[in-house]
Amino acid sequence: PCSAAAEVKLSKAEANALYNCLKGEMKTAYAKSGNLWAKWYSQWAKFSNQPYVSATHGNRFVHNYASKKAAGPYGKFEKVGKMTRGGILAKDSFTVTPQGRVSVGPLFLMEKMSGGFLKASNDWRYTLIMPNGQTVGTTEGKGSKNVKFCITCHQAVADGQDAMFFLPEEYRAK
Protein backbone atom coordinates (compact mmCIF):
# COMPACT_ATOMS: atom_id res chain seq x y z
CA PRO A 1 0.00 0.00 0.00
CA CYS A 2 0.88 3.67 -0.01
CA SER A 3 3.41 4.91 2.51
CA ALA A 4 5.26 8.10 3.33
CA ALA A 5 8.28 9.21 5.28
CA ALA A 6 7.75 10.10 8.93
CA GLU A 7 7.98 13.82 8.07
CA VAL A 8 4.52 15.24 7.36
CA LYS A 9 5.93 17.95 5.11
CA LEU A 10 6.06 16.47 1.64
CA SER A 11 7.86 17.59 -1.47
CA LYS A 12 5.77 18.18 -4.59
CA ALA A 13 6.99 14.85 -5.99
CA GLU A 14 6.16 12.96 -2.77
CA ALA A 15 2.71 14.56 -2.46
CA ASN A 16 1.88 13.77 -6.08
CA ALA A 17 3.20 10.21 -5.77
CA LEU A 18 1.02 9.58 -2.71
CA TYR A 19 -1.99 11.09 -4.44
CA ASN A 20 -1.43 8.93 -7.52
CA CYS A 21 -1.20 5.89 -5.27
CA LEU A 22 -4.46 6.77 -3.49
CA LYS A 23 -6.64 8.19 -6.27
CA GLY A 24 -8.14 4.86 -7.31
CA GLU A 25 -9.00 4.06 -3.70
CA MET A 26 -10.48 7.56 -3.28
CA LYS A 27 -12.67 7.21 -6.36
CA THR A 28 -13.99 3.83 -5.25
CA ALA A 29 -14.56 4.99 -1.67
CA TYR A 30 -16.44 8.18 -2.50
CA ALA A 31 -18.52 6.52 -5.23
CA LYS A 32 -20.01 4.21 -2.57
CA SER A 33 -21.97 7.24 -1.36
CA GLY A 34 -24.17 7.16 -4.45
CA ASN A 35 -23.53 10.88 -4.95
CA LEU A 36 -23.22 11.60 -8.67
CA TRP A 37 -20.55 14.29 -8.19
CA ALA A 38 -18.48 11.94 -6.01
CA LYS A 39 -18.38 9.55 -8.93
CA TRP A 40 -17.25 12.10 -11.54
CA TYR A 41 -15.30 14.89 -9.81
CA SER A 42 -11.90 13.37 -10.64
CA GLN A 43 -12.57 13.98 -14.34
CA TRP A 44 -13.18 17.71 -13.82
CA ALA A 45 -10.61 20.48 -14.19
CA LYS A 46 -7.95 20.24 -11.48
CA PHE A 47 -6.75 23.60 -10.17
CA SER A 48 -3.95 22.43 -7.89
CA ASN A 49 -0.54 21.32 -9.13
CA GLN A 50 -0.07 19.07 -6.12
CA PRO A 51 -1.89 18.06 -2.96
CA TYR A 52 -1.39 20.76 -0.33
CA VAL A 53 -2.27 21.02 3.34
CA SER A 54 -5.59 22.79 3.92
CA ALA A 55 -5.94 24.06 7.48
CA THR A 56 -9.66 24.68 6.89
CA HIS A 57 -10.14 21.02 5.94
CA GLY A 58 -8.59 19.42 8.99
CA ASN A 59 -4.95 19.88 7.95
CA ARG A 60 -5.47 17.26 5.27
CA PHE A 61 -3.72 17.19 1.92
CA VAL A 62 -6.27 18.23 -0.71
CA HIS A 63 -6.64 18.74 -4.46
CA ASN A 64 -9.09 21.30 -5.90
CA TYR A 65 -11.47 20.37 -8.73
CA ALA A 66 -14.20 22.33 -10.53
CA SER A 67 -17.00 21.04 -12.74
CA LYS A 68 -17.33 22.33 -16.30
CA LYS A 69 -19.78 25.05 -15.19
CA ALA A 70 -17.51 26.08 -12.33
CA ALA A 71 -14.11 25.91 -14.03
CA GLY A 72 -14.23 29.28 -15.81
CA PRO A 73 -15.35 31.34 -12.83
CA TYR A 74 -13.22 29.39 -10.32
CA GLY A 75 -10.10 29.87 -12.48
CA LYS A 76 -10.38 33.63 -11.89
CA PHE A 77 -9.65 32.89 -8.23
CA GLU A 78 -10.02 36.01 -6.06
CA LYS A 79 -11.56 37.92 -8.97
CA VAL A 80 -14.34 35.33 -9.37
CA GLY A 81 -17.30 37.50 -8.43
CA LYS A 82 -20.23 35.08 -8.26
CA MET A 83 -20.13 31.39 -9.11
CA THR A 84 -22.36 30.17 -11.94
CA ARG A 85 -25.52 28.42 -10.72
CA GLY A 86 -24.92 24.68 -11.02
CA GLY A 87 -21.16 25.03 -10.63
CA ILE A 88 -19.62 22.42 -8.34
CA LEU A 89 -16.30 22.45 -6.49
CA ALA A 90 -14.67 19.37 -4.97
CA LYS A 91 -11.75 18.72 -2.68
CA ASP A 92 -10.64 15.16 -2.15
CA SER A 93 -8.23 14.54 0.67
CA PHE A 94 -5.75 12.30 2.42
CA THR A 95 -3.82 12.38 5.66
CA VAL A 96 -0.26 11.54 6.57
CA THR A 97 0.65 10.92 10.20
CA PRO A 98 4.07 11.84 11.62
CA GLN A 99 4.78 8.08 11.60
CA GLY A 100 4.18 7.99 7.83
CA ARG A 101 0.77 6.31 7.86
CA VAL A 102 -1.28 7.45 4.85
CA SER A 103 -5.05 7.21 4.55
CA VAL A 104 -7.87 8.53 2.41
CA GLY A 105 -9.74 11.45 3.94
CA PRO A 106 -13.19 12.90 3.24
CA LEU A 107 -14.48 14.39 0.01
CA PHE A 108 -15.76 17.97 0.34
CA LEU A 109 -18.30 19.20 -2.21
CA MET A 110 -19.85 22.66 -2.79
CA GLU A 111 -22.64 23.14 -5.33
CA LYS A 112 -23.97 26.59 -6.26
CA MET A 113 -27.74 26.36 -6.12
CA SER A 114 -30.48 28.63 -7.46
CA GLY A 115 -31.00 31.96 -5.74
CA GLY A 116 -33.18 31.51 -2.68
CA PHE A 117 -31.84 28.04 -1.84
CA LEU A 118 -30.41 29.17 1.50
CA LYS A 119 -29.41 32.76 2.13
CA ALA A 120 -27.20 31.79 5.10
CA SER A 121 -24.98 29.71 2.78
CA ASN A 122 -24.93 32.19 -0.13
CA ASP A 123 -26.98 29.52 -1.94
CA TRP A 124 -24.24 26.90 -1.67
CA ARG A 125 -25.06 23.29 -0.87
CA TYR A 126 -22.25 21.57 1.03
CA THR A 127 -21.82 17.79 1.15
CA LEU A 128 -19.27 15.84 3.19
CA ILE A 129 -18.51 12.23 2.21
CA MET A 130 -16.31 9.99 4.33
CA PRO A 131 -13.76 7.47 2.98
CA ASN A 132 -16.19 4.61 3.70
CA GLY A 133 -18.76 6.23 1.38
CA GLN A 134 -20.97 7.49 4.20
CA THR A 135 -22.47 10.92 3.54
CA VAL A 136 -22.09 12.83 6.80
CA GLY A 137 -24.46 15.54 5.66
CA THR A 138 -25.78 17.72 2.87
CA THR A 139 -27.01 21.29 3.35
CA GLU A 140 -30.83 21.32 3.57
CA GLY A 141 -30.81 17.54 3.27
CA LYS A 142 -30.08 14.53 5.43
CA GLY A 143 -27.56 15.35 8.13
CA SER A 144 -27.72 19.07 7.32
CA LYS A 145 -26.71 20.00 10.89
CA ASN A 146 -23.48 18.03 10.39
CA VAL A 147 -22.28 20.41 7.66
CA LYS A 148 -23.34 23.71 9.26
CA PHE A 149 -19.69 24.29 10.13
CA CYS A 150 -18.99 24.55 6.36
CA ILE A 151 -21.39 27.47 6.07
CA THR A 152 -19.95 29.15 9.15
CA CYS A 153 -16.38 28.85 7.92
CA HIS A 154 -17.11 29.91 4.32
CA GLN A 155 -18.98 33.01 5.49
CA ALA A 156 -15.56 34.49 6.28
CA VAL A 157 -15.12 35.02 2.51
CA ALA A 158 -18.76 35.49 1.51
CA ASP A 159 -18.30 39.11 0.45
CA GLY A 160 -16.24 39.44 -2.71
CA GLN A 161 -15.50 35.72 -3.15
CA ASP A 162 -19.01 34.25 -3.03
CA ALA A 163 -18.00 32.13 -0.01
CA MET A 164 -15.16 30.41 -1.91
CA PHE A 165 -11.69 29.92 -0.48
CA PHE A 166 -8.85 29.62 -2.98
CA LEU A 167 -5.69 27.63 -2.80
CA PRO A 168 -2.36 29.37 -2.20
CA GLU A 169 -0.77 30.72 -5.38
CA GLU A 170 2.22 28.36 -5.24
CA TYR A 171 -0.13 25.37 -5.57
CA ARG A 172 -2.21 26.71 -8.46
CA ALA A 173 -1.99 24.77 -11.69
CA LYS A 174 -0.71 26.94 -14.52
Side-chain angles (χ1 to χ4, degrees):
C2 306
S3 62
E7 179 71 13
V8 175
K9 288 190 177 199
L10 302 174
S11 70
K12 182 177 182 177
E14 291 169 324
N16 280 322
L18 283 174
Y19 185 80
N20 288 333
C21 182
L22 291 169
K23 67 184 177 182
E25 184 180 343
M26 288 175 163
K27 185 176 179 177
T28 300
Y30 304 143
K32 290 178 189 174
S33 69
N35 181 296
L36 182 63
W37 314 130
K39 183 177 179 181
W40 296 107
Y41 81 92
S42 64
Q43 296 178 24
W44 298 345
K46 186 171 20 170
F47 283 85
S48 41
N49 60 26
Q50 72 174 76
Y52 65 95
V53 175
S54 174
T56 57
H57 294 89
N59 289 318
R60 293 175 177 91
F61 285 87
V62 300
H63 253 310
N64 296 52
Y65 291 87
S67 68
K68 188 174 182 178
K69 279 188 177 183
Y74 190 75
K76 295 177 185 175
F77 298 108
E78 289 81 3
K79 296 176 184 167
V80 68
K82 294 270 184 198
M83 176 52 73
T84 305
R85 182 172 46 96
I88 307 161
L89 305 175
K91 281 188 171 86
D92 54 11
S93 69
F94 67 89
T95 60
V96 180
T97 68
Q99 296 76 30
R101 186 165 181 263
V102 179
S103 58
V104 173
L107 174 66
F108 304 91
L109 297 167
M110 290 176 67
E111 181 179 3
K112 187 66 172 189
M113 306 300 286
S114 297
F117 170 73
L118 182 62
K119 185 178 180 180
S121 73
N122 284 50
D123 298 319
W124 284 98
R125 177 169 59 193
Y126 297 90
T127 299
L128 175 59
I129 299 170
M130 298 306 287
N132 64 2
Q134 176 192 0
T135 300
V136 172
T138 298
T139 305
E140 296 296 282
K142 187 176 180 184
S144 186
K145 68 180 184 310
N146 298 328
V147 293
K148 270 196 171 189
F149 68 94
C150 300
I151 296 170
T152 302
C153 185
H154 281 262
Q155 283 305 301
V157 292
D159 295 333
Q161 292 182 196
D162 196 18
M164 290 177 280
F165 283 99
F166 300 103
L167 59 159
E169 288 187 33
E170 66 264 29
Y171 301 118
R172 294 179 183 177
K174 304 289 183 214

